[in-house]
């Protein structure tokens, strides 16, 4: 007689939920316990989060909003952001599985979902919450909704949902427009959906997406498209004739471990009789959504002469596992998929072990960002400030990383003025610096101070206990004007 525990594994949905719970717990707890500083992107998010911006000089503000909301639920700078990452991945797994269930058996859908753990994008790289991670569930949800539109193309609520997802997803990162364009192309390819372009439904979806994203578009015009300048500067100067192919090679290498996962099933199982139930439309659907986004990026880079960043591929492969299952064309059973699940558990566990190993390695080498001594840096910086100014430190400036760490390490959480351009930090003005002063931090000994740092003392060198971290230099920009006093009320 099967035991209760063994019967749990007889349903693919149960296996999925158990695996999701395992990854959430492991890849949330391990980074939380072993980190002494948040990742760089999270420090940036914390810098923007309290100000509820409609846009930042780098990206749309979705991750910063998410971090701030999570902070209300789980105070602190570690557990919340690490948990956010895994919630995003868990939702992605769920949406991918539900998409697979539309086109194939539940065991096949589960296998295609579990295969994603063979990609570094779904394990190790999810230990840093950022725009790429937040995109994952939006991409997967948009594909799921479109798959349902293929079944019920005249259902208006699905088109409304598609518009909401695209509009909201654009606040995660602009590249959500890539999956939106892919959806439009797929809509043209499939006749049942193509017929809807003679109705108002697709245009309603576009209008809803545009309306949701309109506040950010207005902000872009107001700031002279500040974020686009950042992207342009980041990709400038690359050898465009080679960079797209390096990008493609990186994506292939990132997903190669999926083949190792497949080997957990056994070659004899994969050589079994082909499943005759996989429809050509299923393969076409999965090919379109797996390869059109990648092709768009590569062609765009070749045409524009701009380079590509490997992490931009992160959200573009949510369907790659389902595509592999469809191309293999085997009828998966519970035993095969459970072996695959065991392999997925091993892969996620390896990601956690690598994270721990990097922390141990950091003790005798220059540390990764999450192993920096944030509290030590904040305490030493605050001591320098107190020696020259008798008011609490309210503004840190300079390097986003250094100024952000000092801010997070202090109870009052000073505002951060990024680099030397206050347009990047609209919550800080030159008058604020003149009134409150600022502690300017840099990894350069003779860094040029910003013009709004009017009166300052000599630079101070901060040497941290980890001698593999180069010295950090702090300069106190002293307050030079008294804060305005409220006028006395007239009785």
């Amino acid at each position: 007689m099967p035991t209760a525990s063994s019967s749990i594994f007889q349903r693919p949905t149960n296996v999925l939920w158990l695996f999701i719970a395992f990854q959430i717990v492991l890849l949330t707890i391990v980074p939380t316990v072993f980190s002494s500083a948040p990742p760089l992107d999270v420090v940036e998010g914390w810098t923007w989060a309290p100000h509820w911006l409609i846009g930042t000089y780098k990206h749309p503000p979705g991750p910063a909003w998410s971090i701030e909301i999570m902070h209300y639920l789980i105070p602190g700078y570690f557990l919340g952001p690490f948990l956010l990452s895994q919630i995003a991945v868990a939702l992605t797994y769920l949406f991918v599985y539900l998409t697979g269930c539309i086109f194939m058996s539940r065991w096949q859908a589960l296998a295609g979902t579990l295969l994603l753990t063979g990609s570094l994008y779904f394990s190790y790289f999810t230990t840093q919450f950022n725009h790429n991670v937040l995109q994952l569930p939006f991409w997967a949800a948009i594909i799921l909704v479109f798959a349902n539109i293929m079944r019920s193309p005249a259902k208006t609520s699905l088109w409304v949902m598609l518009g909401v997802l695209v509009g909201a997803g654009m606040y995660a990162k602009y590249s959500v427009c890539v999956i939106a364009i892919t959806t439009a192309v797929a809509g043209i390819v499939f006749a049942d959906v193509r017929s809807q372009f003679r109705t108002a439904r697709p245009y309603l979806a576009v209008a809803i997406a545009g309306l949701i994203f309109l506040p950010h578009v207005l902000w872009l015009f107001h700031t002279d498209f500040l974020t686009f300048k950042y992207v342009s500067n980041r990709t400038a100067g690359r050898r465009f004739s080679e960079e797209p192919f390096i990008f493609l090679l990186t994506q292939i290498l990132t997903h190669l471990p999926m083949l190792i996962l497949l080997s957990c099933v056994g070659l004899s199982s994969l050589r079994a009789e082909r499943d005759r139930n996989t429809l050509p439309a299923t393969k076409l659907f999965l090919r379109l959504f797996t390869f059109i986004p990648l092709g768009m990026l590569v062609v765009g880079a070749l045409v524009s002469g701009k380079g590509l960043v490997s992490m931009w591929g992160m959200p573009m492969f949510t369907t790659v596992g389902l595509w592999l299952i469809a191309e293999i064309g085997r009828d998966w059973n519970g035993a095969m998929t459970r072996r695959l699940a065991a392999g997925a558990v091993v892969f996620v566990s390896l990601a956690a072990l690598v994270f721990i190993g990097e922390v141990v390695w950091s003790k005798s080498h220059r540390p990764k960002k999450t192993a920096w001594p944030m509290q030590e840096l904040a305490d030493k910086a605050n001591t320098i400030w107190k020696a020259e100014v008798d008011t609490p430190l309210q503004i840190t400036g300079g390097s986003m990383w250094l100024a952000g760490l000092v801010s997070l390490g202090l109870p009052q959480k000073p505002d951060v003025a990024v680099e030397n351009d206050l347009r990047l930090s609209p919550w800080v003005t030159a008058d604020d610096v003149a009134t409150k002063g600022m502690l300017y931090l840099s990894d350069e000994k003779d860094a040029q101070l910003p013009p709004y740092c009017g009166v300052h003392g000599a630079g101070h060198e901060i040497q941290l206990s980890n001698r593999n971290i180069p010295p950090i230099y702090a300069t106190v920009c002293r307050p030079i004007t008294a804060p305005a006093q409220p006028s006395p009320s007239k009785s």
Side-chain angles (χ1 to χ4, degrees), residues 104-162:
M104 53 188 69
S105 74
R106 289 181 178 270
W107 286 115
Q108 287 174 313
L110 177 60
T113 305
L114 293 173
L115 275 177
L116 293 177
T117 60
S119 167
L120 297 177
Y121 289 147
F122 289 86
S123 54
Y124 176 76
F125 289 139
T126 65
T127 56
Q128 176 167 212
F129 181 70
N130 54 28
H131 298 80
N132 293 318
V133 172
L134 185 57
Q135 278 189 101
L136 287 172
F138 282 103
W139 279 62
I142 288 169
I143 295 170
L144 172 61
V145 169
F146 185 80
N148 280 282
I149 287 174
M150 287 182 59
R151 294 198 299 182
S152 305
K155 194 170 184 179
T156 303
S157 60
L158 291 173
W159 290 98
V160 170
M161 194 179 304
L162 183 64

Side-chain angles (χ1 to χ4, degrees), residues 62 65 138 163-173 176 208-209 212-213:
W65 293 349
F138 282 103
V164 170
L165 286 169
V166 171
M170 289 288 285
Y171 282 99
K173 200 171 183 181
V176 166
I208 291 172
I212 291 173
F213 199 55

Side-chain angles (χ1 to χ4, degrees), residues 177-191:
C177 70
V178 174
I179 190 62
I181 295 171
T182 303
T183 301
V185 172
I188 294 171
V189 170
F190 293 101

Side-chain angles (χ1 to χ4, degrees), residues 70-352:
M70 181 60 80
H71 188 58
Y72 288 121
L73 302 174
I74 305 177
Y77 303 125
F78 294 93
L79 178 59
F82 287 126
L83 178 59
L84 267 176
S85 280
Q86 298 313 314
I87 290 174
V89 177
L91 288 172
T92 304
Y93 287 151
L94 177 61
F95 297 150
V96 169
Y97 173 72
L98 293 175
T99 300
C101 288
I102 293 174
F103 296 107
M104 53 188 69
S105 74
R106 289 181 178 270
W107 286 115
Q108 287 174 313
L110 177 60
T113 305
L114 293 173
L115 275 177
L116 293 177
T117 60
S119 167
L120 297 177
Y121 289 147
F122 289 86
S123 54
Y124 176 76
F125 289 139
T126 65
T127 56
Q128 176 167 212
F129 181 70
N130 54 28
H131 298 80
N132 293 318
V133 172
L134 185 57
Q135 278 189 101
L136 287 172
F138 282 103
W139 279 62
I142 288 169
I143 295 170
L144 172 61
V145 169
F146 185 80
N148 280 282
I149 287 174
M150 287 182 59
R151 294 198 299 182
S152 305
K155 194 170 184 179
T156 303
S157 60
L158 291 173
W159 290 98
V160 170
M161 194 179 304
L162 183 64
V164 170
L165 286 169
V166 171
M170 289 288 285
Y171 282 99
K173 200 171 183 181
Y174 298 139
S175 49
V176 166
C177 70
V178 174
I179 190 62
I181 295 171
T182 303
T183 301
V185 172
I188 294 171
V189 170
F190 293 101
D192 289 345
V193 182
R194 184 170 63 246
S195 65
Q196 292 300 307
F197 285 90
R198 294 192 293 270
T199 73
R201 294 182 183 91
Y203 310 103
L204 175 63
V206 172
I208 291 172
L211 187 62
I212 291 173
F213 199 55
L214 181 60
H216 185 80
V217 173
L218 295 176
W219 175 87
L220 284 172
F221 278 99
H222 181 70
T223 58
D224 195 23
F225 292 87
L226 189 60
T227 51
F228 285 85
K229 293 178 181 178
Y230 164 77
V231 173
S232 179
N233 291 336
R234 188 175 184 189
T235 57
R238 295 173 184 260
R239 298 179 62 186
F240 71 91
S241 60
E242 297 179 3
E243 185 69 16
F245 300 104
I246 296 174
F247 176 80
L248 281 173
L249 179 61
T250 302
Q251 304 313 310
I252 293 171
L253 293 176
T254 301
H255 292 85
L256 272 182
M258 296 176 75
L259 300 179
I260 301 175
L261 265 183
L262 277 174
S263 69
C264 295
V265 178
L267 293 178
S268 59
S269 298
L270 295 177
R271 291 197 193 102
E273 184 179 355
R274 295 182 64 84
D275 175 19
R276 305 293 182 182
N277 296 321
T278 303
L279 300 175
T282 294
K283 292 183 180 180
L284 178 58
F285 177 93
L286 294 173
R287 288 168 184 169
L288 289 174
F289 280 98
T290 301
F291 297 109
I292 285 182
L294 186 63
M296 287 177 61
L297 249 67
V298 171
V299 172
L302 288 170
V303 171
S304 67
K306 296 291 186 179
L308 293 170
V309 179
S310 60
M311 289 302 295
W312 290 355
M314 186 172 192
M316 298 183 179
F317 296 96
T318 57
T319 57
V320 68
L322 296 176
W323 167 72
L324 274 173
I325 295 300
E327 296 293 349
I328 290 171
R330 299 292 181 259
D331 187 14
W332 287 61
N333 57 40
M336 293 168 63
T337 313
R338 285 190 290 271
R339 289 198 294 271
L340 187 64
V345 166
V346 171
F347 269 60
V348 173
S349 301
L350 286 174

